[in-house]
Amino acid sequence: MSGRPVKRSLSLRGHRTSVSLEDEFWQAFRDIATERGQPINALAAEIDAARGVEMGLASAIRVFVLRHYRG
């Protein structure tokens, strides 16, 4: 188990970006994308479009994962 975030690359609407996520959040994020039948970049774009400007993408992904498993 890694307690430190690791920088991961994503593509959002044709632009490369990166997010720093812990291994556990990254794996859960990938699992949710697979469960939904979506490419991970499509799910990231969906989360990105729904987040407010006050929240970073990595935080938005963590909150999304948390809500998914709480729901």
Side-chain angles (χ1 to χ4, degrees):
M1 179 171 12
S2 168
R4 298 194 69 137
V6 176
K7 193 171 277 200
R8 321 273 183 171
S9 294
L10 292 170
S11 182
L12 298 177
R13 296 174 299 282
H15 296 96
R16 297 295 289 172
T17 191
S18 62
V19 294
S20 293
L21 290 171
E22 297 78 7
D23 288 338
E24 291 79 4
F25 276 107
W26 182 255
Q27 187 57 54
F29 181 48
R30 292 181 61 84
D31 291 346
I32 294 167
T34 299
E35 179 182 308
R36 293 173 64 160
Q38 285 183 290
I40 197 162
N41 290 325
L43 182 53
E46 183 181 309
I47 293 167
D48 184 52
R51 73 184 169 104
V53 294
E54 69 283 347
M55 182 181 284
L57 180 58
S59 294
I61 291 171
R62 286 186 192 95
V63 169
F64 175 85
V65 167
L66 180 62
R67 287 180 177 159
H68 175 83
Y69 286 108
R70 278 188 166 175

